[in-house]
Amino acid sequence: MASSSSSFVTLAVLVLLFGSTSAQLSTNFYSSSCPRLFPTVKSTVQSAISKEARMGASLLRLFFHDCFVNGCDGSILLDDTSSFTGEKNAAPNKNSVRGFDVVDNIKSAVEKVCPGVVSCADILAITARDSVEILGGPSWNVKLGRRDARTASQAAANNSIPPPTSNLNQLISNFSAVGLSTRDMVALSGSHTIGQARCTSFRPRIYNETNIDPSFARTRQGNCPRKSGSGDNNLAPLDLQTPTAFDNNYFKNLLNRRGLLHSDQQLFNGGSTDSIVRTYNNNPRTFLSDFVAGMIKMGDISPLTGSKGEIRKNCRRVN
């Protein structure tokens, strides 16, 4: 009897330790505590995208850059303080990640309908979904219940977010480190069907690389001078064909050697992911289905739940 009782206690401890992270996230987490949450978020996202279509891609990217650094905990939204240097000025984010004002507006709107209830981390997750849907992509039920981090780490952001110079093995490794498969990586890279990149991110590719369509390279060179320091912040669409529509044209571009970033074209360059790119090019439904699965998996990365973290009143600072 004593041994079975102790086995039960051990099992209970194991469940507490290992079964309580993503298990505590649920799609109906706020159904009673904040029933107007979804329409409140979506109307604000819709307004922001109506003003600037690019904002949808920027909001989606915020969620990606948040989740890859110590989990989906809203840490990317924190301004620097005297006690920590945050993620906003890390190399992958500085002069690049944007949309913070929109998140502030969403948080303010949500606080009006249910103050002190919804985390900034969850707002990022919902906003990413809404952005994709508004731009013509799929929708999905977002798992919720994350809490907000009380700190942030610039060093972790520098080390965790794959740069546009990444080769295929580095990309696979970066995604694997947070529990995402190679197929997840290719599907989530398809988010580059929307949004824009700065000249500094693709200059080496359009001037130095050979696995690029020459006419495409010339087009991009027209707005991105060879000399560093000249036109660094000039923008180009990641998807030349439909830059504000969420579709599978990103993969068509890769087949035609028109990936804008070095890391984009690495997905179709004679390596192990060529077949996945071909599948997504030929079967848009498969891409959209895999993208949704990847987004849900990414949203499960190391959330703070239960009594961990807090529900921030202002997404830019701890309470």
Side-chain angles (χ1 to χ4, degrees), residues 258-273:
R258 292 183 171 188
L260 182 63
L261 306 178
H262 173 81
S263 54
D264 288 329
Q265 198 59 55
Q266 283 289 295
L267 304 184
F268 190 79
N269 194 40
S272 61
T273 53

Side-chain angles (χ1 to χ4, degrees), residues 16-25 300 302-303 305 308:
L16 280 171
L17 284 174
F18 299 110
S20 63
T21 49
S22 61
Q24 287 187 7
L25 300 183
D300 281 343
S302 305
T305 57
K308 295 175 184 173

Side-chain angles (χ1 to χ4, degrees), residues 54 57 135 189-198 202 216 219-220 235-261 264-265 281 287:
R54 180 190 174 204
L135 292 174
S189 296
S191 62
H192 284 184
T193 180
I194 54 175
Q196 302 192 51
R198 294 182 305 144
F202 59 84
F216 173 69
T219 299
R220 291 281 66 93
L235 298 172
L238 287 157
D239 170 9
L240 188 63
Q241 300 183 70
T242 52
T244 57
F246 198 97
D247 53 31
N248 73 328
N249 278 337
Y250 170 78
F251 300 104
K252 296 185 192 303
N253 295 334
L254 297 186
L255 291 178
N256 292 316
R257 297 183 302 153
R258 292 183 171 188
L260 182 63
L261 306 178
D264 288 329
Q265 198 59 55
N281 174 63
F287 159 55

Side-chain angles (χ1 to χ4, degrees), residues 188-217:
L188 291 171
S189 296
S191 62
H192 284 184
T193 180
I194 54 175
Q196 302 192 51
R198 294 182 305 144
C199 171
T200 49
S201 299
F202 59 84
R203 178 183 281 129
R205 170 151 169 76
I206 62 173
Y207 285 103
N208 303 332
E209 297 188 7
T210 55
N211 62 340
I212 187 168
D213 174 64
S215 66
F216 173 69

Side-chain angles (χ1 to χ4, degrees), residues 272-295:
S272 61
T273 53
D274 282 16
S275 60
I276 306 174
V277 171
R278 284 197 186 93
T279 296
Y280 292 160
N281 174 63
N282 295 329
N283 302 284
R285 285 187 181 179
T286 303
F287 159 55
L288 296 176
S289 164
D290 285 0
F291 176 81
V292 166
M295 287 294 291

